[in-house]
Coordinates of all heavy atoms in Angstrom, one line a residue:
D1 N 0.9 -1.1 0.0 CA 0.0 0.0 0.0 C 0.9 1.2 0.0 O 1.6 1.5 1.0 CB -0.9 0.0 1.2 CG -1.9 1.1 1.3 OD1 -1.7 2.1 0.5 OD2 -2.8 1.1 2.1
P2 N 0.9 2.1 -1.1 CA 1.8 3.2 -1.1 C 1.4 4.3 -0.1 O 2.3 5.1 0.2 CB 1.5 3.8 -2.5 CG 0.5 2.9 -3.1 CD 0.1 1.9 -2.2
Q3 N 0.3 4.2 0.6 CA 0.0 5.0 1.7 C 1.1 4.8 2.8 O 1.5 5.8 3.5 CB -1.3 4.8 2.2 CG -1.7 5.7 3.5 CD -3.0 5.3 4.0 OE1 -3.8 4.7 3.4 NE2 -3.3 5.9 5.2
Y4 N 1.5 3.6 3.0 CA 2.4 3.3 4.1 C 3.8 3.1 3.6 O 4.7 3.2 4.4 CB 1.9 2.0 4.8 CG 0.7 2.3 5.6 CD1 -0.6 1.7 5.2 CD2 0.6 3.2 6.6 CE1 -1.7 2.0 5.9 CE2 -0.6 3.5 7.3 CZ -1.7 2.8 6.9 OH -2.9 3.2 7.5
L5 N 4.0 2.6 2.4 CA 5.4 2.3 1.9 C 5.6 2.7 0.4 O 5.0 2.0 -0.4 CB 5.8 0.8 2.1 CG 7.2 0.5 1.7 CD1 8.2 1.3 2.5 CD2 7.3 -1.1 2.0
H6 N 6.2 3.8 0.2 CA 6.5 4.3 -1.2 C 7.7 5.2 -1.0 O 7.7 6.2 -0.4 CB 5.3 5.1 -1.7 CG 5.4 5.4 -3.1 ND1 6.3 6.4 -3.6 CD2 4.9 4.8 -4.2 CE1 6.2 6.4 -5.0 NE2 5.4 5.5 -5.3
L7 N 8.8 4.7 -1.7 CA 10.0 5.4 -1.6 C 10.4 6.3 -2.8 O 11.4 6.8 -2.9 CB 11.1 4.4 -1.4 CG 11.1 3.6 -0.1 CD1 12.3 2.6 -0.1 CD2 11.2 4.4 1.1
G8 N 9.4 6.3 -3.8 CA 9.7 7.1 -4.9 C 10.3 6.4 -6.0 O 10.3 5.1 -6.1
R9 N 11.0 7.0 -6.9 CA 11.6 6.4 -8.1 C 13.0 5.9 -7.8 O 13.7 6.4 -6.9 CB 11.7 7.4 -9.2 CG 10.4 7.8 -9.7 CD 10.6 8.8 -10.9 NE 9.2 9.2 -11.3 CZ 9.0 10.3 -12.0 NH1 10.0 11.1 -12.3 NH2 7.8 10.5 -12.4
A10 N 13.3 4.8 -8.4 CA 14.6 4.2 -8.2 C 15.7 5.1 -8.9 O 15.4 5.8 -9.9 CB 14.7 2.8 -8.9
R11 N 16.8 5.2 -8.2 CA 17.9 6.0 -8.6 C 19.1 5.3 -9.1 O 20.3 5.7 -9.1 CB 18.3 7.0 -7.5 CG 17.4 8.0 -7.1 CD 18.0 8.9 -6.1 NE 17.1 10.1 -6.0 CZ 17.6 11.2 -5.4 NH1 18.7 11.2 -4.7 NH2 16.7 12.2 -5.2
G12 N 18.9 4.0 -9.6 CA 20.0 3.2 -10.0 C 19.7 1.7 -9.7 O 18.6 1.4 -9.3
E13 N 20.7 1.0 -10.1 CA 20.7 -0.5 -9.9 C 21.1 -0.9 -8.4 O 21.6 0.0 -7.7 CB 21.6 -1.2 -10.9 CG 21.2 -0.9 -12.3 CD 19.8 -1.4 -12.7 OE1 19.5 -2.5 -12.4 OE2 19.2 -0.6 -13.5
F14 N 20.8 -2.1 -8.0 CA 21.4 -2.6 -6.8 C 22.9 -2.6 -6.9 O 23.5 -2.8 -7.9 CB 20.9 -4.1 -6.5 CG 19.6 -4.2 -5.8 CD1 18.4 -4.4 -6.6 CD2 19.6 -4.1 -4.5 CE1 17.2 -4.5 -5.9 CE2 18.4 -4.2 -3.8 CZ 17.2 -4.4 -4.5
R15 N 23.5 -2.3 -5.7 CA 24.9 -2.3 -5.7 C 25.4 -3.0 -4.3 O 24.6 -2.9 -3.4 CB 25.5 -0.9 -5.8 CG 25.2 0.0 -4.6 CD 25.8 1.4 -4.9 NE 25.3 2.3 -3.9 CZ 26.0 2.5 -2.7 NH1 27.0 1.9 -2.4 NH2 25.4 3.4 -1.9
R16 N 26.5 -3.7 -4.4 CA 27.0 -4.4 -3.2 C 27.8 -3.3 -2.4 O 28.4 -2.6 -2.8 CB 28.0 -5.4 -3.7 CG 28.6 -6.3 -2.7 CD 29.4 -7.3 -3.2 NE 30.3 -8.0 -2.3 CZ 30.7 -9.2 -2.2 NH1 30.2 -10.0 -3.1 NH2 31.4 -9.7 -1.3
T17 N 27.5 -3.5 -1.1 CA 28.1 -2.7 0.0 C 28.7 -3.6 1.0 O 28.1 -4.5 1.6 CB 27.1 -1.8 0.6 OG1 26.5 -0.9 -0.4 CG2 27.7 -0.9 1.6
E18 N 30.0 -3.4 1.3 CA 30.8 -4.2 2.2 C 30.5 -3.6 3.6 O 30.4 -2.5 3.8 CB 32.3 -4.1 1.9 CG 32.6 -4.8 0.6 CD 32.3 -6.2 0.4 OE1 32.4 -6.9 1.5 OE2 31.9 -6.7 -0.6
G19 N 30.5 -4.6 4.6 CA 30.4 -4.3 6.0 C 31.6 -4.7 6.7 O 32.5 -5.2 6.1
G20 N 31.6 -4.5 8.0 CA 32.7 -5.0 8.8 C 32.8 -6.5 8.7 O 33.9 -7.0 8.8
E21 N 31.7 -7.1 8.6 CA 31.6 -8.6 8.2 C 30.5 -8.8 7.2 O 29.5 -8.3 7.4 CB 31.1 -9.4 9.5 CG 32.3 -9.8 10.4 CD 31.7 -10.7 11.6 OE1 31.0 -11.6 11.4 OE2 32.1 -10.3 12.7
G22 N 30.8 -9.4 6.2 CA 29.9 -9.7 5.1 C 29.5 -8.5 4.2 O 30.2 -7.6 4.3
H23 N 28.5 -8.7 3.5 CA 28.0 -7.6 2.7 C 26.5 -7.6 2.4 O 25.8 -8.6 2.8 CB 28.7 -7.7 1.3 CG 28.3 -9.0 0.6 ND1 29.0 -10.2 0.8 CD2 27.3 -9.2 -0.4 CE1 28.5 -11.2 0.0 NE2 27.5 -10.5 -0.6
A24 N 25.9 -6.6 1.9 CA 24.5 -6.5 1.5 C 24.4 -5.8 0.2 O 25.4 -5.2 -0.3 CB 23.8 -5.7 2.6
Y25 N 23.2 -5.8 -0.4 CA 22.9 -5.2 -1.7 C 21.9 -4.1 -1.4 O 20.9 -4.4 -0.7 CB 22.4 -6.2 -2.6 CG 23.4 -7.2 -3.1 CD1 23.6 -8.3 -2.4 CD2 24.3 -6.9 -4.2 CE1 24.6 -9.2 -2.9 CE2 25.3 -7.8 -4.6 CZ 25.4 -8.9 -3.9 OH 26.4 -9.8 -4.3
L26 N 22.1 -2.9 -1.9 CA 21.3 -1.7 -1.7 C 20.8 -1.2 -3.0 O 21.6 -1.1 -3.9 CB 22.1 -0.6 -0.9 CG 22.5 -0.9 0.5 CD1 23.9 -1.4 0.5 CD2 22.4 0.4 1.2
R27 N 19.6 -0.8 -3.1 CA 19.1 0.0 -4.2 C 18.6 1.4 -3.7 O 17.6 1.3 -2.8 CB 18.1 -0.7 -4.9 CG 17.7 0.0 -6.3 CD 16.8 -0.9 -7.2 NE 16.7 -0.2 -8.4 CZ 15.8 -0.5 -9.4 NH1 15.1 -1.7 -9.2 NH2 15.8 0.1 -10.5
E28 N 19.1 2.4 -4.2 CA 18.6 3.7 -3.8 C 17.4 4.1 -4.5 O 17.2 3.9 -5.7 CB 19.7 4.8 -4.0 CG 19.3 6.2 -3.4 CD 20.3 7.2 -3.6 OE1 21.4 6.9 -4.2 OE2 20.2 8.2 -3.1
F29 N 16.4 4.8 -3.7 CA 15.3 5.4 -4.2 C 15.2 6.8 -3.8 O 16.1 7.3 -3.0 CB 14.0 4.6 -3.7 CG 13.8 3.3 -4.2 CD1 14.6 2.2 -3.7 CD2 13.0 3.0 -5.3 CE1 14.4 0.9 -4.2 CE2 12.8 1.8 -5.8 CZ 13.6 0.7 -5.3
D30 N 14.3 7.6 -4.2 CA 14.1 9.1 -3.9 C 14.3 9.3 -2.3 O 15.0 10.1 -1.8 CB 12.9 9.7 -4.4 CG 12.9 9.9 -5.9 OD1 14.0 9.9 -6.5 OD2 11.8 9.8 -6.4
D31 N 13.5 8.5 -1.6 CA 13.3 8.6 -0.2 C 14.1 7.6 0.8 O 14.0 7.8 1.9 CB 11.8 8.5 0.2 CG 11.0 9.7 -0.4 OD1 11.6 10.6 -0.8 OD2 9.8 9.5 -0.3
G32 N 14.8 6.7 0.1 CA 15.5 5.7 1.0 C 16.2 4.7 0.2 O 16.5 4.8 -1.0
W33 N 16.4 3.5 0.9 CA 17.1 2.4 0.2 C 16.3 1.1 0.5 O 15.9 0.9 1.7 CB 18.5 2.3 0.7 CG 19.4 3.4 0.3 CD1 20.1 3.5 -0.7 CD2 19.5 4.6 1.1 NE1 20.8 4.6 -0.7 CE2 20.5 5.4 0.4 CE3 19.1 5.0 2.3 CZ2 20.9 6.6 0.8 CZ3 19.5 6.3 2.8 CH2 20.4 7.1 2.1
A34 N 16.3 0.2 -0.4 CA 15.9 -1.2 -0.2 C 17.2 -2.0 0.1 O 18.1 -1.8 -0.8 CB 15.1 -1.8 -1.2
V35 N 17.3 -2.8 1.1 CA 18.5 -3.5 1.4 C 18.2 -5.0 1.6 O 17.3 -5.3 2.3 CB 19.1 -2.9 2.7 CG1 20.5 -3.6 3.0 CG2 19.2 -1.3 2.7
V36 N 19.1 -5.8 1.0 CA 18.9 -7.2 1.2 C 20.2 -7.9 1.5 O 21.2 -7.4 1.1 CB 18.2 -7.9 0.0 CG1 16.8 -7.4 -0.2 CG2 19.1 -7.7 -1.3
N37 N 20.2 -9.0 2.2 CA 21.3 -9.8 2.5 C 20.9 -11.3 2.0 O 20.2 -11.9 2.8 CB 21.7 -9.9 3.9 CG 22.8 -10.8 4.2 OD1 23.4 -11.5 3.3 ND2 23.2 -11.0 5.4
P38 N 21.3 -11.6 0.8 CA 20.8 -12.9 0.3 C 21.7 -14.1 0.7 O 21.5 -15.2 0.3 CB 20.9 -12.8 -1.2 CG 22.0 -11.8 -1.4 CD 21.9 -10.8 -0.2
T39 N 22.7 -13.8 1.5 CA 23.7 -14.8 1.9 C 23.2 -15.7 3.1 O 22.3 -15.3 3.8 CB 25.1 -14.2 2.2 OG1 25.0 -13.5 3.4 CG2 25.5 -13.3 1.0
D40 N 24.0 -16.7 3.4 CA 23.7 -17.5 4.6 C 24.3 -17.0 5.9 O 24.2 -17.7 6.9 CB 24.3 -19.0 4.3 CG 23.4 -19.7 3.2 OD1 22.3 -19.4 3.0 OD2 24.1 -20.6 2.5
K41 N 25.0 -15.9 5.7 CA 25.7 -15.3 7.0 C 25.3 -13.9 7.2 O 24.9 -13.2 6.3 CB 27.2 -15.3 6.7 CG 27.8 -16.7 6.5 CD 29.3 -16.7 6.3 CE 29.9 -18.1 6.1 NZ 31.3 -18.1 5.8
P42 N 25.3 -13.6 8.5 CA 24.8 -12.2 8.8 C 25.8 -11.2 8.2 O 27.0 -11.4 8.1 CB 24.8 -12.1 10.4 CG 24.9 -13.5 10.8 CD 25.5 -14.3 9.7
A43 N 25.3 -10.0 7.9 CA 26.2 -8.9 7.5 C 26.2 -7.9 8.6 O 25.1 -7.5 9.1 CB 25.6 -8.2 6.2
K44 N 27.4 -7.4 9.0 CA 27.5 -6.6 10.2 C 28.2 -5.3 9.9 O 29.1 -5.2 9.0 CB 28.2 -7.3 11.4 CG 27.5 -8.6 11.9 CD 28.1 -9.2 13.0 CE 27.4 -10.5 13.3 NZ 28.0 -11.1 14.5
T45 N 27.7 -4.3 10.6 CA 28.3 -2.9 10.5 C 28.3 -2.4 9.0 O 29.3 -1.9 8.6 CB 29.7 -2.7 11.2 OG1 30.7 -3.6 10.5 CG2 29.7 -2.9 12.7
I46 N 27.2 -2.6 8.4 CA 27.0 -2.0 7.0 C 26.8 -0.5 7.2 O 25.9 0.0 7.9 CB 25.7 -2.6 6.3 CG1 25.9 -4.2 6.2 CG2 25.5 -2.0 4.9 CD1 27.0 -4.7 5.3
P47 N 27.5 0.3 6.4 CA 27.3 1.8 6.6 C 26.1 2.3 5.8 O 25.8 1.7 4.7 CB 28.6 2.4 6.0 CG 29.1 1.3 5.0 CD 28.7 0.0 5.6
V48 N 25.4 3.2 6.4 CA 24.3 3.9 5.6 C 25.0 4.8 4.5 O 25.9 5.5 4.8 CB 23.5 4.7 6.6 CG1 22.6 5.6 5.9 CG2 22.8 3.9 7.7
P49 N 24.5 4.6 3.2 CA 25.1 5.3 2.2 C 25.3 6.8 2.3 O 26.3 7.3 1.8 CB 24.2 5.0 1.0 CG 23.5 3.7 1.4 CD 23.4 3.8 2.9
E50 N 24.4 7.5 2.7 CA 24.5 9.0 2.8 C 24.6 9.5 4.3 O 24.2 10.6 4.5 CB 23.4 9.6 2.1 CG 23.4 9.4 0.6 CD 22.2 10.1 -0.1 OE1 21.5 11.0 0.5 OE2 22.1 9.8 -1.3
G51 N 25.2 8.7 5.1 CA 25.5 9.1 6.5 C 24.4 8.7 7.5 O 24.9 8.1 8.5
Q52 N 23.2 8.9 7.4 CA 22.2 8.6 8.3 C 20.9 8.1 7.7 O 20.6 8.6 6.6 CB 21.9 9.8 9.3 CG 23.0 10.1 10.2 CD 22.7 11.1 11.2 OE1 21.8 12.1 10.9 NE2 23.2 11.2 12.4
A53 N 20.1 7.4 8.4 CA 18.8 6.9 7.9 C 18.1 6.2 9.1 O 18.7 6.0 10.2 CB 18.9 5.9 6.7
R54 N 16.8 6.0 8.9 CA 16.0 5.2 9.9 C 15.6 3.8 9.4 O 15.3 3.7 8.1 CB 14.7 5.9 10.2 CG 14.9 7.3 10.8 CD 13.5 8.0 11.1 NE 13.6 9.4 11.3 CZ 14.1 10.0 12.3 NH1 14.8 9.3 13.3 NH2 14.1 11.4 12.4
V55 N 15.7 2.9 10.1 CA 15.2 1.5 9.8 C 13.8 1.5 9.8 O 13.2 1.8 10.9 CB 15.9 0.4 10.6 CG1 15.3 -0.9 10.3 CG2 17.4 0.4 10.5
V56 N 13.1 1.1 8.7 CA 11.7 0.9 8.8 C 11.4 -0.6 8.9 O 11.9 -1.4 8.1 CB 11.0 1.4 7.5 CG1 9.6 1.2 7.5 CG2 11.3 2.9 7.4
D57 N 10.6 -1.0 9.9 CA 10.3 -2.4 10.0 C 8.8 -2.5 10.4 O 8.0 -1.5 10.3 CB 11.1 -3.1 11.2 CG 11.0 -2.3 12.6 OD1 10.0 -1.5 12.8 OD2 11.8 -2.6 13.4
H58 N 8.2 -3.7 10.7 CA 6.8 -3.8 10.9 C 6.3 -3.0 12.1 O 5.2 -2.4 12.0 CB 6.5 -5.3 11.2 CG 6.6 -6.2 10.1 ND1 5.7 -6.2 9.1 CD2 7.6 -7.1 9.7 CE1 6.1 -7.1 8.1 NE2 7.3 -7.6 8.5
D59 N 7.1 -2.7 13.1 CA 6.7 -2.0 14.2 C 6.6 -0.4 14.0 O 5.9 0.2 14.6 CB 7.6 -2.2 15.4 CG 7.4 -3.7 15.9 OD1 6.4 -4.3 15.8 OD2 8.4 -4.1 16.6
S60 N 7.5 0.0 13.0 CA 7.6 1.4 12.8 C 7.0 1.8 11.4 O 7.2 3.0 11.0 CB 9.0 1.9 12.8 OG 9.8 1.3 11.8
L61 N 6.3 0.9 10.8 CA 5.9 1.2 9.4 C 5.0 2.5 9.3 O 5.1 3.3 8.4 CB 5.2 0.0 8.8 CG 4.7 0.2 7.3 CD1 5.9 0.3 6.4 CD2 3.9 -1.1 6.9
E62 N 4.0 2.7 10.2 CA 3.2 3.7 10.2 C 3.7 5.0 10.9 O 3.3 6.1 10.6 CB 1.8 3.4 10.9 CG 1.1 2.4 10.0 CD -0.3 2.0 10.7 OE1 -0.9 3.0 11.3 OE2 -0.7 0.9 10.5
H63 N 4.8 4.8 11.7 CA 5.5 6.0 12.3 C 7.0 5.8 12.4 O 7.6 5.6 13.4 CB 4.9 6.1 13.8 CG 3.4 6.2 13.8 ND1 2.8 7.4 13.4 CD2 2.5 5.4 14.1 CE1 1.5 7.3 13.5 NE2 1.2 6.1 13.9
P64 N 7.7 5.9 11.2 CA 9.1 5.7 11.2 C 9.8 6.7 12.0 O 11.0 6.4 12.3 CB 9.4 5.7 9.7 CG 8.3 6.4 9.1 CD 7.1 6.2 9.9
D65 N 9.3 7.8 12.2 CA 10.0 8.8 13.0 C 10.2 8.4 14.4 O 11.0 9.1 15.2 CB 9.3 10.2 12.9 CG 7.8 10.2 13.3 OD1 7.2 9.1 13.1 OD2 7.4 11.1 13.9
T66 N 9.6 7.4 14.9 CA 9.8 6.8 16.3 C 11.2 6.0 16.3 O 11.6 5.7 17.4 CB 8.8 5.9 16.7 OG1 8.6 4.8 15.8 CG2 7.4 6.6 16.7
R67 N 11.8 5.8 15.2 CA 13.2 5.1 15.2 C 14.2 6.1 15.1 O 14.1 7.2 14.5 CB 13.2 4.2 13.9 CG 12.2 3.1 13.9 CD 12.6 2.1 15.0 NE 11.6 1.0 15.0 CZ 11.3 0.2 15.9 NH1 11.9 0.4 17.1 NH2 10.5 -0.8 15.8
P68 N 15.3 5.9 15.8 CA 16.5 6.8 15.8 C 17.2 6.7 14.5 O 17.1 5.8 13.7 CB 17.4 6.3 16.8 CG 17.1 4.9 17.0 CD 15.6 4.8 16.6
L69 N 17.8 7.9 14.2 CA 18.7 7.9 13.0 C 20.0 7.1 13.3 O 20.5 7.1 14.4 CB 19.2 9.3 12.6 CG 18.1 10.2 12.0 CD1 18.6 11.7 12.0 CD2 17.7 9.7 10.7
I70 N 20.4 6.2 12.3 CA 21.6 5.4 12.5 C 22.6 5.7 11.4 O 22.2 6.2 10.4 CB 21.1 3.9 12.5 CG1 20.5 3.5 11.1 CG2 20.3 3.5 13.6 CD1 20.4 2.1 10.8
Q71 N 23.9 5.3 11.6 CA 24.8 5.4 10.6 C 25.3 4.1 10.1 O 26.0 4.0 9.1 CB 26.1 6.1 11.3 CG 25.7 7.6 11.7 CD 26.8 8.3 12.4 OE1 27.7 7.7 12.8 NE2 26.8 9.6 12.3
Q72 N 25.0 3.0 10.8 CA 25.3 1.7 10.3 C 24.3 0.7 10.9 O 23.6 1.0 11.8 CB 26.7 1.2 10.7 CG 27.0 1.2 12.2 CD 28.5 1.0 12.5 OE1 29.3 1.2 11.8 NE2 28.6 0.5 13.8
F73 N 24.3 -0.5 10.3 CA 23.3 -1.5 10.7 C 23.9 -2.9 10.5 O 24.8 -3.1 9.7 CB 21.9 -1.3 10.0 CG 22.1 -1.4 8.6 CD1 21.9 -2.5 7.9 CD2 22.5 -0.3 7.8 CE1 22.0 -2.7 6.5 CE2 22.6 -0.3 6.4 CZ 22.3 -1.5 5.8
D74 N 23.2 -3.9 11.2 CA 23.5 -5.3 10.9 C 22.2 -5.8 10.2 O 21.1 -5.4 10.5 CB 23.6 -6.0 12.3 CG 24.9 -5.5 13.0 OD1 25.7 -4.9 12.4 OD2 24.9 -5.8 14.2
L75 N 22.5 -6.8 9.5 CA 21.3 -7.5 8.7 C 21.5 -8.9 8.7 O 22.6 -9.5 8.3 CB 21.3 -6.9 7.3 CG 20.1 -7.3 6.4 CD1 18.8 -6.9 7.1 CD2 20.1 -6.6 5.1
G76 N 20.6 -9.7 9.2 CA 20.7 -11.2 9.3 C 20.7 -11.9 8.0 O 20.3 -11.3 6.9
A77 N 21.1 -13.0 8.0 CA 21.1 -13.8 6.8 C 19.7 -13.9 6.1 O 18.7 -14.1 6.8 CB 21.6 -15.2 7.1
R78 N 19.7 -13.8 4.8 CA 18.5 -13.9 4.0 C 17.4 -12.9 4.6 O 16.2 -13.3 4.7 CB 18.0 -15.4 4.0 CG 18.9 -16.2 3.4 CD 18.2 -17.6 3.2 NE 19.2 -18.6 2.5 CZ 19.5 -19.7 3.0 NH1 18.9 -20.2 4.1 NH2 20.3 -20.5 2.3
R79 N 17.7 -11.7 4.9 CA 16.9 -10.7 5.4 C 16.9 -9.4 4.5 O 17.8 -9.2 3.8 CB 17.2 -10.4 6.8 CG 17.1 -11.5 7.8 CD 15.6 -11.8 8.1 NE 15.6 -12.9 9.0 CZ 14.6 -13.8 9.1 NH1 13.6 -13.6 8.2 NH2 14.6 -14.7 9.9
G80 N 15.9 -8.7 4.7 CA 15.9 -7.4 4.1 C 15.3 -6.3 4.9 O 14.4 -6.6 5.8
I81 N 15.6 -5.0 4.7 CA 15.1 -3.9 5.4 C 14.9 -2.8 4.4 O 15.3 -2.7 3.3 CB 16.0 -3.4 6.6 CG1 17.3 -3.1 6.1 CG2 15.9 -4.5 7.7 CD1 18.1 -2.4 7.2
V82 N 14.2 -1.7 5.0 CA 14.1 -0.4 4.3 C 14.7 0.6 5.1 O 14.5 0.7 6.3 CB 12.6 -0.1 4.0 CG1 12.4 1.3 3.5 CG2 11.9 -1.0 3.0
L83 N 15.5 1.4 4.5 CA 16.2 2.6 5.1 C 15.5 3.9 4.6 O 15.4 4.0 3.4 CB 17.6 2.7 4.9 CG 18.5 1.5 5.4 CD1 20.0 1.7 5.0 CD2 18.5 1.4 6.9
L84 N 15.1 4.7 5.6 CA 14.4 5.9 5.1 C 15.3 7.1 5.4 O 15.9 7.3 6.5 CB 13.1 6.1 6.0 CG 12.2 7.3 5.7 CD1 11.7 7.2 4.3 CD2 11.2 7.4 6.7
K85 N 15.6 8.0 4.4 CA 16.4 9.1 4.5 C 15.8 10.1 5.5 O 14.6 10.2 5.6 CB 16.6 9.8 3.1 CG 17.3 8.9 2.1 CD 17.4 9.6 0.7 CE 18.1 8.8 -0.3 NZ 18.1 9.3 -1.6
P86 N 16.7 10.9 6.2 CA 16.2 11.9 7.1 C 15.2 12.9 6.4 O 15.6 13.3 5.3 CB 17.4 12.5 7.6 CG 18.5 11.6 7.4 CD 18.1 10.9 6.1
G87 N 14.2 13.2 7.1 CA 13.2 14.3 6.5 C 12.3 13.7 5.4 O 11.6 14.6 4.9
K88 N 12.5 12.5 5.1 CA 11.5 11.9 4.0 C 10.3 11.2 4.7 O 10.5 10.7 5.8 CB 12.3 11.0 3.2 CG 13.4 11.7 2.4 CD 12.8 12.6 1.4 CE 13.8 13.2 0.5 NZ 13.3 14.0 -0.6
A89 N 9.2 11.2 3.9 CA 8.0 10.5 4.4 C 8.1 9.1 3.8 O 8.5 8.8 2.7 CB 6.8 11.2 3.9
I90 N 7.5 8.1 4.6 CA 7.5 6.7 4.2 C 6.4 6.4 3.1 O 6.6 5.6 2.3 CB 7.4 5.7 5.4 CG1 7.7 4.3 4.9 CG2 6.1 5.8 6.0 CD1 9.2 4.0 4.6
G91 N 5.4 7.3 3.2 CA 4.3 7.1 2.2 C 4.5 7.9 0.9 O 5.6 8.3 0.6
N92 N 3.4 8.1 0.3 CA 3.4 8.7 -1.1 C 3.3 10.3 -1.0 O 3.4 10.8 -2.1 CB 2.3 8.1 -1.9 CG 2.5 8.2 -3.4 OD1 3.6 8.4 -3.9 ND2 1.4 8.3 -4.2
S93 N 3.2 10.8 0.1 CA 2.9 12.3 0.3 C 4.0 13.2 -0.3 O 3.7 14.2 -0.8 CB 2.7 12.6 1.7 OG 3.8 12.4 2.5
D94 N 5.2 12.7 -0.3 CA 6.3 13.6 -0.8 C 6.8 13.1 -2.2 O 7.9 13.5 -2.6 CB 7.4 13.8 0.2 CG 8.2 12.5 0.6 OD1 7.6 11.4 0.2 OD2 9.1 12.5 1.3
N95 N 6.2 12.2 -2.8 CA 6.6 11.7 -4.1 C 5.6 12.1 -5.2 O 4.4 11.6 -5.2 CB 6.7 10.1 -4.1 CG 7.8 9.7 -3.1 OD1 8.9 10.2 -3.2 ND2 7.4 8.9 -2.2
R96 N 5.9 12.8 -6.1 CA 5.1 13.3 -7.2 C 5.7 12.9 -8.6 O 6.7 12.9 -8.9 CB 5.0 14.9 -7.2 CG 4.5 15.3 -5.9 CD 2.9 15.1 -5.8 NE 2.5 15.5 -4.4 CZ 1.7 14.8 -3.7 NH1 1.2 13.6 -4.1 NH2 1.3 15.2 -2.6

């Protein structure tokens, strides 16, 4: 439902990003990134591409501003998350 999850237009292809341990694949959108770890091992201390973002999960989907800004994150094996850029809305309100 774009009311709750719409990151705008894609800004490129998926790219591999190295962490302190392992790696993840990120794809940038206007308002954030889709991130996946397709491997069998956790990826640790993955840097946020532009410095800071909020992790959007099931608990914060309707209110992502309740999550703190982070500079790096861990991602379990075969998992994915959404990172929301600071000052951006998770829904469609700021995407035209």
Side-chain angles (χ1 to χ4, degrees):
D1 182 344
Q3 177 183 350
Y4 295 113
L5 183 58
H6 190 281
L7 296 176
R9 294 183 180 157
R11 291 188 164 187
E13 301 297 319
F14 271 100
R15 63 183 175 88
R16 182 177 164 144
T17 300
E18 297 296 324
E21 269 183 55
H23 64 275
Y25 292 90
L26 294 92
R27 185 169 190 189
E28 185 177 6
F29 292 82
D30 293 332
D31 293 350
W33 297 268
V35 185
V36 296
N37 175 4
T39 71
D40 292 334
K41 297 181 181 177
K44 297 184 179 181
T45 61
I46 303 292
V48 172
E50 291 181 7
Q52 293 184 326
R54 297 183 199 290
V55 173
V56 178
D57 58 19
H58 290 284
D59 294 334
S60 66
L61 185 60
E62 293 184 32
H63 303 286
D65 55 327
T66 62
R67 297 290 183 202
L69 288 168
I70 59 164
Q71 296 177 339
Q72 63 186 21
F73 59 94
D74 297 340
L75 189 56
R78 297 187 181 132
R79 298 285 180 212
I81 60 170
V82 170
L83 296 174
L84 184 64
K85 294 177 181 178
K88 296 295 185 171
I90 193 70
N92 203 24
S93 64
D94 60 351
N95 297 307
R96 302 283 175 225

